[in-house]
Amino acid sequence: MKQFFILCVFAFASASAFVIPSLTLDPLQQIKRIVPEIFNLTDLRVDLDDIKSSISPGKCPEATELPEPFKLNSFLGTWYEIKRTGQIFENGLRCVQANYKLDQAAGNVIVNNSGVNPKGKPVATIGTAATTDKSNVFAVKFFPLSPSAQYWVVDTDYTGYSLVVSCNNVFGFFNINDAWILSRKPSLDNEIIQKLEAKVIELGFTKLRFTDTPQDC
Ligand SMILES: *[C@@H]1O[C@H](CO)[C@@H](O)[C@H](O)[C@H]1NC(C)=O
Ligand SMILES: *[C@@H]1O[C@H](CO)[C@@H](O)[C@H](O)[C@H]1NC(C)=O
C-alpha cells in the first residue's frame, strides 16, 4: 500500500518530470502507460526499483547559476543522450537525442526529444521549456495541463558536454530527481563522464544511478 501511495503521488505530481530530455513514447501512449501504472498493482513491483533511486526525502537543493551567465543560443541545437537516470518511461529507448530550438514569438524553447523504441520505431515528443529567474534553469512541459518539471543545466561547455538535472519537490516532504549526461557527439570522453557523475553526487543526489544510453543507430 505504501508503494502504491508513493507511485500515485509520483505519477500525479510529476508525470512530466521523468521525460526530460528523453522520452519513450508520444504523449497519448504515455498517458495510456501512466494510467495502468497507477491502477494496476501487478505492474507496480516491476517499476518500483527504478523509481526508488529517484526519490529522496526533504526538498531539492536550490539550483545554482553557472559561473558565467548561461548562453542559451550556444546551448540550442542537438545533444545526444550518453547517460541517464530515471528509467520509468524509457524502457529500452536507444539513440536518444534532444533538440532545442528557440520559439522567437513565445520566448520559449521548443524541445524535441527523439529516439528509437525497442521495436526499432523512431519516436519523438515535443515539449516547451520556459525561462525562469535563473538563466540556466527552465520549466519544461510535455502536456499542456501537466505540472512543469525543472530543467537545470548544472554544467556545460556548450560545444562538448552538458549535465542536466531535474529535481522536483513533492508536497515539501520528498523530491523526485533525475539527471542526464549529454554530448554534442554520440560519445563522450570517460574522464568527462566521471567528472559529471561526481558533480551529481556533490549536489547531494547520492542515490541516483546512471545507465548508458546506447547510441548505436
Ligand atoms: C495489469 O498488468 C497485467 C500484467 O502486466 C496485464 O496482463 C494486464 O493487462 C494489466 N491490466 C490493465 C488493466 O492494464
Ligand atoms: C523531432 O526530431 C526527430 C528526429 O530528429 C525528427 O524526425 C522530427 O521531425 C522532429 N519533429 C519536429 C516536430 O521537429
Side-chain angles (χ1 to χ4, degrees):
M1 202 56 210
K2 195 164 132 212
Q3 295 177 356
F4 179 63
F5 169 74
I6 289 174
L7 192 70
C8 282
V9 172
F10 154 77
F12 282 115
S14 63
S16 64
F18 276 48
V19 293
I20 329 157
S22 43
L23 238 241
T24 353
L25 306 164
D26 67 44
L28 192 67
Q29 278 177 302
Q30 205 162 18
I31 289 164
K32 282 188 200 150
R33 234 184 96 85
I34 291 167
V35 172
E37 262 163 13
I38 295 169
F39 296 108
N40 189 345
L41 287 165
T42 55
D43 283 338
L44 282 182
R45 250 161 287 131
V46 180
D47 288 321
L48 192 70
D49 278 349
D50 291 337
I51 301 163
K52 249 186 344 209
S53 63
S54 287
I55 296 181
S56 303
K59 287 192 178 170
C60 292
E62 187 74 18
T64 49
E65 300 255 14
L66 298 171
E68 310 270 320
F70 182 62
K71 293 180 279 189
L72 176 59
N73 280 318
S74 307
F75 189 77
L76 299 174
T78 297
W79 290 96
Y80 294 87
E81 185 184 82
I82 302 299
K83 283 187 174 251
R84 63 185 177 218
T85 62
Q87 300 293 296
I88 183 166
F89 298 130
E90 300 187 335
N91 303 334
L93 201 64
R94 291 154 51 227
C95 305
V96 177
Q97 291 179 26
N99 184 274
Y100 304 118
K101 253 193 302 207
L102 206 58
D103 177 352
Q104 301 279 4
N108 285 335
V109 175
I110 301 169
V111 178
N112 178 352
N113 291 331
S114 61
V116 174
N117 74 12
K119 289 179 181 152
K121 186 174 167 262
V123 289
T125 301
I126 311 297
T128 57
T131 53
T132 70
D133 59 350
K134 292 195 174 88
S135 60
N136 58 325
V137 181
F138 297 83
V140 176
K141 271 184 194 225
F142 287 93
F143 317 111
L145 298 177
S146 68
S148 54
Q150 184 194 50
Y151 182 103
W152 168 16
V153 182
V154 171
D155 193 2
T156 186
D157 66 352
Y158 301 98
T159 56
Y161 68 85
S162 284
L163 171 64
V164 174
V165 161
S166 180
C167 187
N168 301 278
N169 290 316
V170 182
F171 305 143
F173 66 87
F174 66 95
N175 66 80
I176 296 173
N177 47 73
D178 273 298
W180 295 267
I181 291 172
L182 308 175
S183 172
R184 288 295 193 188
K185 292 184 293 189
S187 63
L188 189 61
D189 247 30
N190 232 0
E191 237 169 81
I192 297 174
I193 292 175
Q194 280 168 15
K195 187 187 93 172
L196 298 177
E197 285 186 340
K199 209 156 211 170
V200 167
I201 293 180
E202 261 171 57
L203 289 173
F205 301 113
T206 50
K207 288 202 300 180
L208 282 180
R209 294 287 170 271
F210 282 99
T211 56
D212 294 330
T213 304
Q215 291 286 351
D216 56 353
C217 298

